[in-house]
Amino acid sequence: MRKKIVAGNWKMNKTYQESKVLVKELKKGIKNIKLDNTRVIIAPPFTNLQNASKKTKDSSVEIAAQNMCAKESGAFTGEISASMIKSIHVDLVVLGHSERREYFGETDASLAAKVDTALKNDLEIIFCFGEVLEDRKSGNHFKIVEEQIKKALFHLNSDDWKNIILAYEPVWAIGTGETASPEQAQEMHAFIRELVAQRYISDVAEEVSILYGGSVKPANAEEIFSKPDVDGGLIGGAALKSEDFLALVKAI
Ligand code: 13P
């Protein structure tokens, strides 16, 4: 049975000291929540990744990096490699976030290369994609999402998909307070699962967790999470306060 997942993407928030406090609060709070077939993941900034990894070693909170270089090593100033991430016992990485696509020029092709490097280094991937508002308005959203997934992931074999978590994040719903309706999320998630089923065997589609991201908060989470093809959430703003994030874990 595929896992339910609540993942927090901290983006460029929290200093080292602030991160330490939040990790501590989450670690403590999570102990009081019964996790039934559910994974809890947080993606702090690189400056706190090692601390978060150390501090959660004996906890059910898992740690993800927010980005990674496609190259294995070398003269790439400012970049972080897959093996560096693995070396601090972090086994997950977020790739393809719309902010990386929009502000840092990441493309389907460059993401396909990152996906390959991550898998080669035994990193599990939370792969993000989603349409912008114009695409939604013009009815192109299915086509856009299909292309993003096909171009970055459909060269993989069935076995590789054991290390893929999908995250549908409509760009118009990120940080805007506007959420896709539970019906819109379900419709897209069912479409994605069908897409994967057509390309691979249906087992792959049934096993892959598909998260929804975009203004998920304690007030709207339960309804979104209740949809059959929504296996959890990738959370931005509400992941920055332990109280809110823990409420989302409870909501799943
Ligand atoms: P918000 O929850 O702040 O809308 O962000 C969603 C997101 O981009 C998570 O990766």
Side-chain angles (χ1 to χ4, degrees):
M1 190 167 59
R2 62 180 177 262
K3 293 273 186 190
K4 301 238 175 230
I5 299 173
V6 181
N9 174 12
W10 295 9
K11 309 190 180 183
M12 197 174 72
N13 292 294
K14 305 283 177 191
T15 61
Y16 177 71
Q17 288 77 9
E18 290 164 349
S19 296
K20 273 173 91 169
V21 174
L22 184 51
V23 168
K24 208 169 171 181
E25 289 173 358
L26 292 174
K27 191 181 159 183
K28 190 165 167 232
I30 214 80
K31 284 189 190 147
N32 304 319
I33 304 176
K34 193 174 169 292
L35 297 174
D36 194 14
N37 193 41
T38 299
R39 296 173 68 184
V40 177
I41 301 168
I42 54 170
F46 279 120
T47 42
N48 193 258
L49 213 52
Q50 185 176 14
N51 172 70
S53 166
K54 261 192 199 162
K55 291 287 157 56
T56 54
K57 213 166 53 190
D58 53 350
S59 144
S60 37
V61 178
E62 297 176 67
I63 307 298
Q66 291 180 20
N67 183 30
M68 184 207 83
C69 186
K71 305 286 184 194
E72 296 280 357
S73 66
F76 302 101
T77 302
E79 291 293 301
I80 304 278
S81 74
S83 61
M84 291 172 187
I85 293 169
K86 288 291 289 188
S87 71
I88 52 167
H89 310 290
V90 170
D91 298 319
L92 284 138
V93 63
V94 177
L95 293 178
H97 196 282
S98 63
E99 288 147 17
R100 302 252 8 129
R101 294 176 192 255
E102 184 179 353
Y103 307 129
F104 302 99
E106 298 197 0
T107 62
D108 295 324
S110 69
L111 287 166
K114 287 193 178 195
V115 163
D116 290 343
T117 304
L119 293 178
K120 203 168 139 206
N121 285 275
D122 216 12
L123 278 162
E124 192 177 359
I125 299 165
I126 300 178
F127 188 79
C128 310
F129 51 86
E131 81 281 3
V132 297
L133 187 59
E134 298 85 81
D135 297 325
R136 168 69 58 171
K137 280 187 174 159
S138 62
N140 270 341
H141 45 298
F142 293 113
K143 194 172 144 258
I144 295 292
V145 163
E146 180 172 344
E147 266 177 28
Q148 288 173 328
I149 295 176
K150 276 187 175 168
K151 288 184 178 164
L153 299 175
F154 273 14
H155 63 288
L156 302 178
N157 62 41
S158 303
D159 233 32
D160 291 331
W161 277 77
K162 291 187 182 125
N163 288 313
I164 303 288
I165 297 164
L166 298 177
Y168 169 56
E169 299 204 308
V171 180
W172 48 273
I174 297 177
T176 58
E178 190 170 342
T179 329
S181 69
E183 291 70 31
Q184 285 173 321
Q186 168 58 27
E187 185 186 32
M188 182 59 89
H189 284 220
F191 169 79
I192 294 161
R193 205 177 298 287
E194 181 53 30
L195 200 66
V196 177
Q198 278 172 14
R199 164 67 180 82
Y200 299 92
I201 49 168
S202 60
D203 281 12
V204 175
E206 278 310 309
E207 283 305 312
V208 68
S209 298
I210 310 178
L211 315 184
Y212 167 79
S215 299
V216 178
K217 304 177 210 49
N220 59 24
E222 221 159 301
E223 218 191 332
I224 298 176
F225 292 167
S226 71
K227 294 294 175 192
D229 286 294
V230 178
D231 305 310
L234 183 55
I235 321 295
L240 299 175
K241 269 174 72 186
S242 58
E243 208 181 299
D244 288 348
F245 190 68
L246 292 166
L248 295 176
V249 176
K250 283 185 196 149
I252 200 143

